[in-house]
Amino acid sequence: EPEVTQTPSHQVTQMGQEVILRCVPISNHLYFYWYRQILGQKVEFLVSFYNNEISEKSEIFDDQFSVERPDGSNFTLKIRSTKLEDSAMYFCASSVRENSNQPQHFGDGTRLSIL
Amino acid sequence: AQTVTQSQPEMSVQEAETVTLSCTYDTSESDYYLFWYKQPPSRQMILVIRQEAYKQQNATENRFSVNFQKAAKSFSLKISDSQLGDAAMYFCAYRSAWGGSEKLVFGKGTKLTVNP
């Protein structure tokens, strides 16, 4: 069964540095998402992306965050100047969205640790 | 804004027994979707079961079933004949049906342990 794949599985970065998290969504999916989970807290929505533009974003997704689909397969989340509070598990997801009961399929996540 | 609450941080069940995980949610919308996702240790979240709010019939998927009480805004998951492979974090999630929002709103999760 096709899967959403995320790389790297664990990223350690110095505070203030830029980091790029990568995702390969399922090939026929049209909607792409990023979520994050700070340790011990809920999984929170960050952003959704459709037709090469952001369709929805949360309050968390401020100017330090950006997303891009640089080619036909990858979907990236860039954090420009990382802060300690960006340490979290970041999940990528994708969906077909022929209708809204179609589930979002998640990757294994990238654990981001900011030092 | 919608919220999802899972009041049981941890649950345990004996193999072959039945366990029910609780989920309540708050919304002013009349049409929406509810999901249960399972996340085994160090693995991706996998959809277990989904429910459309406009359907009165409770969803079932093999050993997994839900008790959807729309008026009470309750969406519990029942796992029958529990297996060792059912051990995981279980997340309840909500999504709007209209208005263009595709985001999932999650609860904090319930860690399920299955004892042999």
Side-chain angles (χ1 to χ4, degrees), chain A residues 19-30:
Chain A
V19 66
I20 297 176
L21 309 182
R22 302 181 192 280
C23 169
V24 179
I26 295 173
S27 62
N28 64 332
H29 285 190
L30 303 176

Side-chain angles (χ1 to χ4, degrees), chain B residues 27-42:
Chain B
T27 184
S28 59
E29 297 174 333
S30 59
D31 205 7
Y32 46 87
Y33 302 99
L34 297 165
F35 304 86
W36 277 98
Y37 279 88
K38 167 187 177 181
Q39 186 183 35
S42 302

Side-chain angles (χ1 to χ4, degrees), chain A residues 3-4 31 33 35 37 40-45 48 55-56 58 89 91 95 97 99-109, chain B residues 3-5 33 35 37 39 42-47 50 52 54-55 89 91 95-97 100-108:
Chain A
E3 292 186 342
V4 175
Y31 271 72
Y33 312 86
Y35 293 82
Q37 185 180 29
Q41 298 186 24
K42 294 185 178 186
V43 177
E44 303 170 290
F45 169 78
S48 61
S55 50
E56 187 178 3
S58 71
M89 196 77 172
F91 294 102
S95 68
R97 204 199 176 258
N99 56 64
S100 290
N101 72 347
Q102 293 301 308
Q104 295 174 18
H105 296 257
F106 285 81
D108 282 352
Chain B
T3 59
V4 175
T5 302
Y33 302 99
F35 304 86
Y37 279 88
Q39 186 183 35
S42 302
R43 291 291 296 146
Q44 62 200 191
M45 276 192 283
I46 304 166
L47 179 72
R50 78 189 94 172
E52 291 92 339
Y54 62 84
K55 290 187 177 178
M89 281 292 288
F91 293 97
R95 188 168 80 197
S96 299
S101 178
E102 288 288 321
K103 71 179 181 186
L104 288 167
V105 178
F106 285 91
K108 284 191 79 169

Side-chain angles (χ1 to χ4, degrees), chain A residues 55-79:
Chain A
S55 50
E56 187 178 3
K57 62 182 180 179
S58 71
E59 294 173 351
I60 303 167
F61 195 87
D62 60 21
D63 291 344
Q64 69 163 153
F65 291 94
S66 62
V67 289
E68 193 177 33
R69 190 159 161 80
D71 52 42
S73 59
N74 289 287
F75 178 52
T76 61
L77 174 69
K78 181 191 289 186
I79 309 175

Side-chain angles (χ1 to χ4, degrees), chain B residues 60-85:
Chain B
T60 61
E61 286 286 342
N62 301 314
R63 298 182 294 107
F64 298 88
S65 62
V66 299
N67 183 5
F68 173 50
Q69 301 288 328
K70 191 173 184 179
K73 295 179 182 174
S74 171
F75 182 61
S76 60
L77 174 70
K78 186 170 84 171
I79 306 173
S80 303
D81 185 25
S82 298
Q83 300 175 1
L84 294 177

